[in-house]
Amino acid sequence: MAGVTFMPLALGRNVMRNLHASSPVLSNVGAFSRRCSFKDFSIPWASSHRTYSSHNGRNCIIQSQVGSIQMIAINRPHKRNAVDPETAKYLHEAMQDFEADENTSAAVLYGKDGVFCAGFDLSALASGGYQESLVSTADDVQGPMGPTRFLCSKPVIAAIEGYAVAGGLELALWCDLRVMDETAILGVFCRRFGVPLVDGGTVRLPKLIGLSRALDLILTGREVRAKEALEIGLVNRVCDTGSAVGRALLLAQEISKFPSECMRADRMSAYYSSFDASSIQDAIRYEYENGLKVIEKESIPGAKNFVSGIGRHGSFNLHKTHTKS
C-alpha cells in the first residue's frame, strides 16, 4: 500500500506514535494530511488490506480500509500507474467490492508513488494485447480503464498527484470529487498518439467544465496545471505537494458523517438530471420520488435533532447541542 513520508522526521515519529495510540478513525488525520504524503510507508491505522495480483505476482491494485473509508491504489509505479487490461479488470473488481461492502461509506482512488495514473498502458496497445479487453467490455459495465462504465451508489474521491492524463484523466473524471496536488498535471495526452477517449472522457468532461473548455482540452491535448484546473471546475480542491491522498481521505470522512441515505439520494438525483433525464420535469420528478424514500428514516429524526438544538446556527457539529444565548 502507498505509505507516508513525514516532514520533519521528528514530527513524523510523533504523528505515527499518536496514530497507533489513538482510535483508528482518525483524530489526527487533519494534521496528518497537512504534514505528510502517502509514498513510502504503509498506512498504519488501516484495519484491513486486500491485494489484487497480476499473473506475474505483482499486486497491481491494493485496497485498504480506514474506518468506513476504502482506499484503493493503482500499484504499477514502474509504468507510472498506467493501466493494462489485467489491471483494469482488477480495478473494476475492487470498485465492485467497494460497492457491495455495507461497511464502507466512501472511497479514495489514488496511485502509488506519487503518480495518479498515466492512462492506458501503450505497450499493451502496441503489442495488440488490448483487443479482448475492448471487445469484451463494449456493452458491459467495465471499460478499458476499469470501472468507468458503471455508477457507484457511494462517493468516490480521486486523490491526484503527479500525472492524471489520458485514461488517467478519465478515471479522475469518473470520480465524484477530485483533490489535486499543486504540482500535479492533467491533460488529454493521448491526443499525440491517436488514442481516443473511450472511458467517458468526452461525455463527462463537457458536463463538468462546459463544452467550450472541454473541446480546448480534447482538441489540443495540452497540460492543465492545478490553478487552472480549480478555476475551471475540473478539480474541487488544490492542496500542498504530496498531501492529496491525506486531504482526500479527510474529505471522504467529512462527507461520510452525514446521514448516508439522504446524501446518496441527492447524489443520484444530480447524476440523473445531468445524464439521464429527458426533461426538467423528468429530473424534478426523479428528485422528488427519490427523496421521499429517506424522509421517514433520516429526515424526521434529523428534524427532531435540530429542534433539540443540534446543528443550530449553521454548526456542522452533529453531536453538540446549542442552547439559546
Side-chain angles (χ1 to χ4, degrees):
M1 184 75 185
V4 288
T5 301
F6 297 94
M7 297 294 289
L9 183 57
L11 174 63
R13 286 171 177 161
N14 289 335
V15 173
M16 287 287 284
R17 189 178 300 113
N18 290 337
L19 284 170
H20 281 292
S22 65
S23 169
V25 197
L26 279 170
S27 59
N28 295 305
V29 73
F32 176 79
S33 68
R34 291 189 293 271
R35 296 168 182 165
C36 62
S37 61
F38 287 58
K39 291 182 180 179
D40 299 324
F41 302 90
S42 61
I43 298 176
W45 64 90
S47 59
S48 64
H49 297 270
R50 179 179 179 182
T51 59
Y52 297 76
S53 300
S54 61
H55 66 275
N56 61 7
R58 182 182 295 274
N59 297 326
C60 55
I61 300 295
I62 303 176
Q63 251 178 355
S64 293
Q65 193 75 19
V66 181
S68 68
I69 310 303
Q70 196 158 107
M71 312 293 293
I72 301 175
I74 304 172
N75 183 36
R76 300 187 81 221
H78 61 296
K79 292 283 190 176
R80 291 196 173 185
N81 293 322
V83 170
D84 63 359
E86 191 172 35
T87 304
K89 172 188 173 184
Y90 288 128
L91 181 56
H92 177 73
E93 288 184 9
M95 287 300 178
Q96 293 281 9
D97 291 343
F98 158 67
E99 174 73 4
D101 188 346
E102 296 180 355
N103 296 317
T104 61
S105 57
V108 173
L109 176 63
Y110 68 106
K112 280 273 285 182
D113 287 5
V115 176
F116 181 75
C117 176
F120 193 80
D121 188 344
L122 293 185
S123 62
L125 185 63
S127 66
Y130 68 93
Q131 292 99 329
E132 183 179 348
S133 173
L134 292 181
V135 170
S136 64
T137 63
D139 297 309
D140 202 352
V141 292
Q142 181 184 327
M145 292 293 296
T148 53
R149 292 181 182 171
F150 89 100
L151 178 61
C152 285
S153 65
K154 296 176 282 190
V156 181
I157 301 174
I160 302 171
E161 296 182 348
Y163 289 92
V165 295
L169 175 61
E170 292 183 285
L171 276 179
L173 297 176
W174 173 77
C175 297
D176 296 277
L177 301 174
R178 285 151 293 281
V179 177
M180 185 176 182
D181 181 313
E182 63 187 352
T183 63
I185 294 173
L186 310 176
V188 186
F189 282 17
C190 51
R191 179 60 54 235
R192 301 169 295 163
F193 304 111
V195 179
L197 298 171
V198 291
D199 279 274
T202 64
V203 178
R204 296 185 178 99
L205 192 59
K207 289 288 187 180
L208 290 176
I209 65 174
L211 180 61
S212 178
R213 286 177 171 143
L215 286 174
D216 177 15
L217 303 189
I218 291 168
L219 297 180
T220 67
R222 66 180 180 84
E223 69 177 37
V224 180
R225 300 276 180 167
K227 182 176 183 295
E228 180 185 4
L230 184 64
E231 288 173 348
I232 66 176
L234 185 52
V235 300
N236 306 95
R237 306 282 192 278
V238 170
C239 59
D240 293 340
T241 302
S243 66
V245 179
R247 290 288 185 172
L249 173 58
L250 184 61
L251 179 58
Q253 290 188 316
E254 288 175 355
I255 64 177
S256 293
K257 70 183 180 182
F258 300 125
S260 61
E261 291 191 23
C262 179
M263 180 185 67
R264 293 175 192 176
D266 286 345
R267 174 182 173 274
M268 291 302 291
S269 180
Y271 275 110
Y272 184 85
S273 67
S274 296
F275 293 100
D276 297 323
S278 59
S279 65
I280 186 171
Q281 291 82 6
D282 180 34
I284 290 174
R285 175 197 58 77
Y286 181 93
E287 177 191 60
Y288 178 71
E289 293 178 355
N290 205 36
L292 282 179
K293 300 173 185 177
V294 305
I295 290 199
E296 184 172 350
K297 184 172 182 180
E298 293 185 347
S299 305
I300 293 175
K304 291 179 178 178
N305 286 338
F306 177 77
V307 170
S308 73
I310 294 174
R312 294 286 182 91
H313 312 297
S315 172
F316 276 68
N317 185 341
L318 301 181
H319 302 287
K320 181 179 180 181
T321 300
H322 291 263
T323 57
K324 293 182 179 180
S325 57

